[in-house]
C-alpha cells in the first residue's frame, strides 16, 4: 500500500477537505500515474452532495484525470514511465460479457466507477482524481496526444467523450443540424466536437451572455431559451439535440425543435422524471434517448480526433484549496468552461 494525499467529501453537507488514504501497490497489469491535472465535472458535485442518493463517504471525486506514468507492472505493454496519460469515469468493467466485445462496457453492471464505487474485489472503495496519484489497470488508461496542452486535456476524459459518443452514434456531420442545450463544461465540448465533425451547430443557452464565446468555439447559431420566440423560430429544425442540462426544463418544447426522425439525447441527469407528451413525439416520429460517456476504445478515438483537430477544453486552472469555491461557481453556471485543478498545489 502507498499513502495518497487528496481532497475528500466526508459528508454530503460538508465542504471538501484534505484527506489521506491508501492506494494499492501496482499489480502486473497496473499503471501508476502521478496526477497533474484534474477536471471538475458537475457529476462530482452531484455525488459529493449525494444528489443522486448513491454516495459513499469519504469520497475523493474526480474522473477527468491527466497525469504522467511513474511505474508500470511487469505485464504492461502499452505504457512506459514518462508517458502522458488520462483516466476517465471508470477503471474496470466486465471483461467477459458481450458488451465488452462490442465496446459498450460503460453500460454494463460490472462497471467500476473511478470514484464512489467499489473495485472488482467487491469491497475496496475507489477514489478519484483530486489526489496525487492513482493506480489503474492498463486497459483503462488512455494515451493523450503529445500536441495538446496538457492541463486542458483533462476535461476530455469525461466532458469530451460524453459529447463525442452521441455525436458519432447519431451521425453528426456535414448536412446535419445539431443543437447543444447548455453552454457549460459538457456543452462547450459539444460545440467544438460537432463543429469539427462538420455539422451545423446551434447553442441553446438560457441567455445570450456567452454568445460571443459560443460562436468563437464553432457554433453557427446561438439562441436564448429564455426568449419564447426561439421555440417558434427553430420549430422542426434539428436532426439531433444534445441536452446537457440537469435542471427541470420544458422537454416537450425542446422536442418540438426536432425534424421528422430527429432525436433528443439526454446527457444531463435531472433528479425528477422527464414528462413527455405523446404529441411531441408521435406526429414526427421523434425519439428521446440517453447516452453515458463512451467505451475505452471510443475514448481513445476521441482523444486522437482531438489531437488531429487541436481540440481541448476551455479551462480555468485553480488551486486545490479553491475547489469548494469552484463548486459554487459551477452551480451558478459561472465557469468558462471547465475548472481544472492544478494538482501541484495539493
Ligand atoms: P455545467 O458545466 O454546470 O453545465 C450545465 C449547463 O446547463 C450550464 O452551463 C447552463 O448552461 C445549463 N443550465 C444550468 N442550470 C440550468 C437551468 N436551470 N435551466 C436551463 N439550463 C441550465 O455541468 P456539466 O459538467 O456540463 O454537466 C452537465 C450535466 O451532465 C450534469 O447533470 C452531469 O452530472 C451530467 N453528466 C452526464 C454525463 C453522461 O455520461 N451522460 C457525463 C458527465 C456529466 P447555459 O448557461 O448555457 O444555459
Ligand atoms: Zn463527468
Amino acid at each position: 500500500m502507498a499513502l495518497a494525499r487528496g481532497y475528500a467529501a466526508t459528508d454530503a453537507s460538508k465542504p471538501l477537505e484534505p484527506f489521506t488514504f491508501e492506494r494499492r501497490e501496482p499489480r502486473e497489469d497496473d499503471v501508476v500515474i502521478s496526477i497533474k491535472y484534474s477536471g471538475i465535472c458537475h457529476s462530482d458535485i452531484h455525488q459529493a452532495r449525494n444528489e443522486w442518493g448513491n454516495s459513499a463517504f469519504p469520497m475523493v471525486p474526480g474522473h477527468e484525470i491527466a497525469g504522467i506514468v511513474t511505474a508500470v507492472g511487469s505485464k504492461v505493454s502499452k505504457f512506459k514511465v514518462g508517458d502522458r496519460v488520462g483516466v476517465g469515469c471508470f477503471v474496470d468493467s466486465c471483461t467477459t460479457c458481450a458488451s465488452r466485445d462490442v465496446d459498450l462496457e460503460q453500460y454494463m453492471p460490472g462497471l467500476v466507477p473511478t470514484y464512489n464505487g467499489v473495485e472488482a474485489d467487491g469491497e475496496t472503495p475507489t477514489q478519484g482524481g483530486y489526489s496525487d496519484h492513482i493506480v489503474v489497470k492498463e486497459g483503462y488508461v488512455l494515451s493523450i496526444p503529445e500536441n495538446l496542452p496538457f492541463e486542458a486535456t483533462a476535461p476530455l476524459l469525461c466532458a469530451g467523450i460524453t459529447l463525442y459518443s452521441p455525436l458519432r452514434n447519431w451521425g453528426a456531420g456535414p448536412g446535419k443540424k445539431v443543437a447543444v442545450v447548455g453552454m457549460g463544461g459538457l456543452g462547450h465540448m459539444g460545440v467544438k466536437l460537432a463543429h469539427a465533425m462538420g455539422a451545423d451547430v446551434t447553442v441553446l443557452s438560457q441567455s445570450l451572455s456567452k454568445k460571443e464565446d459560443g460562436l468563437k468555439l464553432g457554433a453557427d447559431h446561438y439562441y436564448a431559451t429564455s426568449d419564447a420566440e426561439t421555440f417558434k423560430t427553430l420549430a422542426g429544425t434539428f436532426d439531433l439535440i444534445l441536452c446537457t442540462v440537469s435542471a427541470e426544463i420544458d422537454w416537450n418544447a425542446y422536442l418540438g425543435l426536432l425534424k421528422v426522425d430527429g432525436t433528443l439525447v439526454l446527457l444531463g441527469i435531472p433528479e425528477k422524471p422527464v414528462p413527455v407528451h405523446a404529441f411531441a413525439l408521435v406526429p414526427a416520429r421523434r425519439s428521446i434517448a440517453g447516452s453515458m460517456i463512451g467505451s475505452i476504445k471510443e475514448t481513445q478515438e476521441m482523444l486522437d480526433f482531438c489531437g488531429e483537430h487541436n481540440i481541448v477544453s476551455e479551462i480555468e486552472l485553480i488551486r486545490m484549496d479553491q475547489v469548494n469555491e469552484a463548486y459554487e461557481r459551477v452551480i451558478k453556471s459561472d465557469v468558462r468552461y471547465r475548472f481544472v485543478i492544478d494538482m501541484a498545489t495539493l
Side-chain angles (χ1 to χ4, degrees), residues 67-333:
I68 303 284
V69 175
T70 56
V72 294
S74 59
K75 291 212 171 135
V76 169
S77 59
K78 274 177 22 204
F79 300 101
K80 59 181 190 318
V81 170
D83 284 352
R84 293 183 355 148
V85 294
V87 177
C89 297
F90 59 98
V91 290
D92 209 342
S93 66
C94 295
T95 49
T96 52
C97 66
S99 289
R100 180 72 200 188
D101 295 343
V102 294
D103 292 305
L104 289 172
E105 69 272 11
Q106 73 272 29
Y107 297 118
M108 293 317 294
L111 195 75
V112 176
T114 303
Y115 67 89
N116 195 28
V118 177
E119 301 223 8
D121 65 8
E123 54 188 59
T124 311
T126 56
Q127 299 290 11
Y130 302 180
S131 58
D132 58 0
H133 80 283
I134 190 165
V135 183
V136 181
K137 268 183 168 174
E138 170 180 40
Y140 299 85
V141 178
L142 289 308
S143 290
I144 294 183
E146 287 297 326
N147 60 310
L148 298 178
F150 203 23
E151 63 275 22
T153 58
L156 301 180
L157 278 304
C158 174
I161 184 59
T162 299
L163 277 289
Y164 182 89
S165 184
L167 286 167
R168 282 289 190 229
N169 189 55
W170 278 278
K176 291 286 166 105
K177 289 192 187 292
V178 174
V180 176
V181 188
M183 251 285 279
L186 264 55
H188 91 289
M189 288 310 310
V191 170
K192 289 189 176 203
L193 291 165
H195 174 71
M197 290 174 192
D200 182 86
V201 187
T202 299
V203 175
L204 302 173
S205 181
Q206 293 168 94
S207 74
L208 296 180
S209 65
K210 297 181 253 186
K211 178 173 178 181
E212 206 178 308
D213 288 352
L215 297 179
K216 241 187 262 163
L217 300 185
D220 300 284
H221 322 275
Y222 202 107
Y223 288 87
T225 52
S226 53
D227 181 353
E229 280 302 310
T230 292
F231 291 89
K232 289 184 196 153
T233 311
L234 298 178
T237 298
F238 302 107
D239 298 284
L240 179 64
I241 301 177
L242 301 179
C243 182
T244 73
V245 176
S246 54
E248 314 299 312
I249 56 176
D250 182 351
W251 302 99
N252 297 301
Y254 286 85
L255 284 166
L257 305 184
L258 290 170
K259 284 181 184 168
V260 171
D261 276 336
T263 306
L264 168 67
V265 183
L266 306 193
L267 301 174
I269 305 176
E271 281 172 57
K272 292 200 190 136
V274 172
V276 171
H277 203 294
F279 272 117
L281 297 171
V282 174
R285 201 163 62 179
R286 295 175 178 130
S287 307
I288 185 162
S291 180
M292 188 174 80
I293 45 175
S295 69
I296 292 295
K297 182 167 176 245
E298 195 174 39
T299 305
Q300 190 60 59
E301 183 188 303
M302 175 276 305
L303 286 166
D304 296 343
F305 179 88
C306 288
E308 276 162 37
H309 294 266
N310 274 306
I311 293 175
V312 284
S313 175
E314 302 297 304
I315 65 161
E316 288 190 44
L317 196 62
I318 60 166
R319 296 188 314 270
M320 186 69 252
D321 64 8
Q322 292 175 297
V323 64
N324 292 303
E325 189 191 320
Y327 274 22
E328 294 308 320
R329 285 188 50 201
V330 172
I331 288 162
K332 285 188 267 172
S333 302

Side-chain angles (χ1 to χ4, degrees), residues 41 43 63-64 89 158-159 338:
C41 177
S43 302
H63 58 207
E64 294 185 335
C89 297
C158 174
R338 199 60 144 183

